Amino acid sequence: LFERKKILQFFVLSLMVLFMTLNIFQSYQYAQLAMPHDGKNFEFYKANFFKLKPDPETWKLLDFQRRHVENEEFINQEDYEQRTIGYFNFENINSAPLIESQLDSTIYLSPGNSYRLDKDMQYSPAFKIPFNALTKREHAWVRVTLNYYPMYDLQEAPASLVIHMSYKGRNFVYRGYDLEKRPYKVGEWNTITVEYITPYPFSFTEEQLYVYVWNRSDKPFYIDDMHIEAFERKW
């Protein structure tokens, strides 16, 4: 460069200083959460180009945003295609192998079995799906609806609906939705519906999504009709 003409040196060095300054400034924006790492589009980028504290209204311009909290808010379902990816009725439609000794025909929501979790089996059958079978895009929403029947007060016999991703044997973005922290009735069927946004994938091919129920006590706990849906962005 320094063997070139002065005018070219000035032009190129000016561009380098400009882009380094922009790089440093936008790195600072990222550190201050003014420029999130995902969900951006041109409208959001333009509206917050020089801002360290964006107007809250501009957050509505994001395509989506991972907030990394238990209760993610799925607000633009109309932009997604919906499909069922897993179902357990513990009779004739089941998305994973069952242990038949845990089937129970005395308590059920849909005739004629539920699945009993107790001291001998604390985990339900796990639904799992590779990330690239879940979506071809870099994220998807997952909605899980579970029906459960607690025989005992969940404060004494807690249970959780669990969703997480797994990559090379390691779990990440683990969500344990503790049922004792939500309204419920003992000795009756209750329903919980949760929504989970997948984290940004490492490889798109080696990650797997897991969904299952964990009985965190040794007391009997029943589940039935678990429905798992995926929502994939239309564009």
Side-chain angles (χ1 to χ4, degrees):
L1 174 63
F2 285 102
E3 294 175 356
R4 303 285 181 173
K5 294 180 180 180
K6 295 291 183 182
I7 186 68
L8 183 59
Q9 291 181 31
F10 176 79
F11 177 73
V12 174
L13 289 173
S14 297
L15 281 180
M16 290 173 65
V17 170
L18 174 65
F19 287 122
M20 284 191 291
T21 302
L22 178 63
N23 188 352
I24 293 169
F25 177 72
Q26 294 203 318
S27 294
Y28 186 69
Q29 282 184 304
Y30 177 83
Q32 297 298 311
L33 303 180
M35 195 63 72
H37 74 282
D38 56 11
K40 291 188 298 295
N41 52 43
F42 180 69
E43 293 301 318
F44 181 87
Y45 184 80
K46 180 175 64 174
N48 294 291
F49 190 74
F50 287 114
K51 296 180 180 179
L52 289 178
K53 291 185 178 180
D55 183 335
E57 286 297 309
T58 65
W59 291 99
K60 296 178 182 179
L61 298 173
L62 289 170
D63 290 334
F64 73 100
Q65 185 188 16
R66 294 177 176 93
R67 299 187 180 274
H68 303 293
V69 295
E70 179 177 309
N71 297 310
E72 298 274 10
E73 188 178 4
F74 186 17
I75 59 176
N76 56 335
Q77 183 176 329
E78 66 277 4
D79 296 335
Y80 290 74
E81 297 284 356
Q82 177 183 3
R83 74 184 196 277
T84 295
I85 56 174
Y87 195 82
F88 292 87
N89 68 358
F90 303 109
E91 288 99 31
N92 58 344
I93 305 176
N94 297 290
S95 298
L98 307 178
I99 297 177
E100 292 193 7
S101 61
Q102 298 304 123
L103 297 175
D104 193 291
S105 60
T106 60
I107 298 173
Y108 51 80
L109 181 62
S110 61
N113 297 318
S114 65
Y115 199 81
R116 186 182 68 257
L117 304 179
D118 52 29
K119 61 183 178 61
D120 297 320
M121 180 57 62
Q122 290 185 295
Y123 295 94
S124 74
F127 172 77
K128 61 181 180 179
I129 184 172
F131 186 91
N132 60 354
L134 180 64
T135 179
K136 297 298 187 285
R137 304 189 180 277
E138 57 83 46
H139 81 282
W141 282 92
V142 177
R143 177 181 292 159
V144 181
T145 300
L146 170 70
N147 295 282
Y148 63 97
Y149 189 103
M151 292 287 290
Y152 299 86
D153 192 328
L154 291 176
Q155 303 302 322
E156 302 172 1
S160 301
L161 171 60
V162 178
I163 309 175
H164 65 77
M165 297 292 292
S166 179
Y167 176 67
K168 293 186 175 180
R170 299 182 64 181
N171 299 335
F172 62 104
V173 189
Y174 177 101
R175 297 284 182 263
Y177 302 92
D178 297 337
L179 303 181
E180 70 273 13
K181 295 179 181 178
R182 299 165 182 261
Y184 64 90
K185 294 183 179 180
V186 177
E188 296 183 21
W189 283 103
N190 301 262
T191 303
I192 178 176
T193 299
V194 299
E195 291 167 340
Y196 174 95
I197 187 170
T198 59
Y200 195 88
F202 292 103
S203 70
F204 285 88
T205 58
E206 297 184 57
E207 296 87 354
Q208 295 215 63
L209 173 79
Y210 282 80
V211 181
Y212 55 91
V213 181
W214 175 22
N215 179 9
R216 290 152 44 220
S217 79
D218 60 359
K219 294 181 170 58
F221 177 83
Y222 299 84
I223 61 174
D224 204 353
D225 293 352
M226 183 162 70
H227 188 199
I228 306 164
E229 301 169 279
F231 295 80
E232 186 174 19
R233 195 67 185 261
K234 293 178 181 177
W235 61 83

